[in-house]
């Protein structure tokens, strides 16, 4: 069985070792490289090409924004999924920074089952993209007005333009689009995205989703807030 190769970057040695131990208890996963700061991570990526990168948001020496920018500029790493590791106390800040180029984020106190869901979903997206040669299968497409969702690759398109969304945001959007006009409560969005967070964090997520659409269409106004009820 081919294992998923992971590079893990965290400046807290005990945290990194603990996550590595959890990862390698799964027979399908393997940590092939570790780093304690941003420059060391880039050196590791010069020597090996993993299937997935797990990156601490607060690595020293280089900001997470610059690290992701360099990963996306490098032809050998530009398509590798990146999961950002964050502390729960940083939750609101990290949501605003999801334009770093990371595909998703997890909090450091997450259960490993939760982490595994993220890893598996991102790898399925990469596998689907590779298998179709960059094209989507008609069976994976669903449309609602100007919105098109690719369920295999967890991608969204607005007026035929790709919307840059993290995995978490794609899952929330898909839940909102499932029944247009119906109210989706906060707990429903949490369940859809496989997360347990404070309600104000869901508010920040929805703002980030809206911002991603507005970057393509300044008149976008299709996600309404029903005060005290949901979206």
């Amino acid at each position: 069985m081919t294992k998923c190769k992971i590079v893990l970057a965290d400046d807290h040695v005990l945290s990194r070792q603990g996550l590595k131990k959890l990862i390698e208890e799964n027979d399908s996963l393997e940590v092939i490289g570790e780093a304690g700061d941003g420059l060391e991570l880039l050196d590791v990526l010069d020597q090996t090409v993993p299937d997935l990168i797990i990156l601490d948001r607060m690595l020293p020496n280089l900001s997470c924004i610059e690290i992701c920018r360099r990963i996306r500029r490098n032809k050998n790493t530009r398509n590798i999924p990146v999961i950002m590791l964050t502390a729960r106390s940083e939750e609101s800040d990290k949501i605003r920074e999801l334009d770093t180029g990371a595909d998703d984020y997890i909090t450091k106190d997450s259960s490993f089952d939760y982490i595994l869901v993220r890893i598996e979903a991102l790898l399925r997206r990469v596998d689907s993209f590779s298998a179709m040669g960059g094209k989507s299968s008609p069976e994976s497409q669903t449309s609602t007005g100007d919105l098109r969702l690719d369920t295999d690759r967890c991608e969204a398109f607005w007026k035929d333009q790709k919307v840059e969304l993290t995995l978490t945001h794609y899952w929330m959007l898909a839940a909102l689009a499932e029944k247009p006009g119906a109210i989706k409560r906060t707990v429903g969005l949490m369940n859809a995205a496989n997360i347990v967070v404070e309600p104000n964090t869901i508010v920040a997520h929805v703002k980030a989703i809206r911002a991603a659409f507005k970057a393509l269409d300044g008149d976008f106004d299709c996600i309404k807030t029903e005060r005290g009820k949901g979206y």
Side-chain angles (χ1 to χ4, degrees):
M1 179 179 63
T2 302
K3 292 189 175 186
C4 165
K5 300 185 293 293
I6 295 173
V7 165
L8 181 58
D10 190 334
D11 62 320
H12 293 92
V13 177
L14 292 179
S15 296
R16 190 171 75 237
Q17 290 176 343
L19 183 54
K20 179 183 178 181
K21 184 176 183 294
L22 287 172
I23 288 172
E24 294 193 330
E25 286 177 357
N26 187 294
D27 292 338
S28 64
L29 305 176
E30 177 185 14
V31 175
I32 62 167
E34 298 179 59
D37 63 53
L39 294 176
E40 186 180 0
L41 172 60
L42 296 179
D43 286 341
V44 170
L45 294 176
D46 281 340
Q47 300 170 44
T48 186
V49 180
D51 299 305
L52 180 81
I53 300 166
I54 300 180
L55 167 66
D56 181 15
R57 174 178 173 266
M58 299 298 288
L59 279 183
N61 290 337
L62 280 180
S63 70
C64 61
I65 294 175
E66 180 60 24
I67 292 168
C68 285
R69 184 178 294 126
R70 294 193 190 188
I71 287 171
R72 296 307 179 214
R73 279 205 307 252
N74 187 321
K75 66 179 182 180
N76 294 322
T77 59
R78 64 175 54 141
N79 294 319
I80 296 174
V82 175
I83 295 178
M84 194 81 74
L85 274 176
T86 67
R88 184 170 291 278
S89 60
E90 301 164 351
E91 206 151 39
S92 295
D93 289 337
K94 70 173 179 279
I95 293 167
R96 288 194 292 270
E97 293 184 6
L98 284 176
D99 59 353
T100 56
D103 297 274
D104 207 14
Y105 76 88
I106 52 177
T107 53
K108 291 185 177 183
D109 59 355
S110 299
S111 71
F112 186 65
D113 286 343
Y114 170 89
I115 295 172
L116 190 59
V117 166
R118 259 35 192 194
I119 291 173
E120 290 177 342
L122 286 172
L123 293 176
R124 281 199 304 273
R125 185 165 73 179
V126 172
D127 288 345
S128 175
F129 187 88
S130 299
M132 297 299 295
K135 298 179 180 178
S136 300
S137 65
E139 295 79 12
S140 71
Q141 307 292 304
T142 61
S143 296
T144 301
D146 290 322
L147 176 67
R148 177 165 54 89
L149 301 178
D150 186 324
T151 56
D152 284 347
R153 287 161 51 179
C154 298
E155 291 181 341
F157 299 84
W158 179 252
K159 298 181 180 179
D160 292 326
Q161 298 181 84
K162 183 181 175 183
V163 187
E164 295 298 334
L165 298 172
T166 66
L167 182 63
T168 292
H169 290 165
Y170 171 82
W171 281 339
M172 286 186 177
L173 175 65
L176 289 167
E178 187 176 10
K179 294 181 180 179
I183 295 174
K184 198 73 175 180
R185 295 186 179 278
T186 297
V187 68
L189 294 179
M190 287 188 199
N191 291 338
N194 296 289
I195 58 176
V196 179
V197 295
E198 297 296 325
N200 66 331
T201 301
I202 295 297
V203 173
H205 277 303
V206 173
K207 286 181 179 178
I209 294 170
R210 287 180 177 136
F213 278 89
K214 284 184 173 291
L216 299 176
D217 179 358
D219 295 326
F220 178 83
D221 189 28
C222 295
I223 301 176
K224 307 289 187 181
T225 300
E226 292 293 331
R227 194 169 301 277
K229 296 180 178 179
Y231 301 92

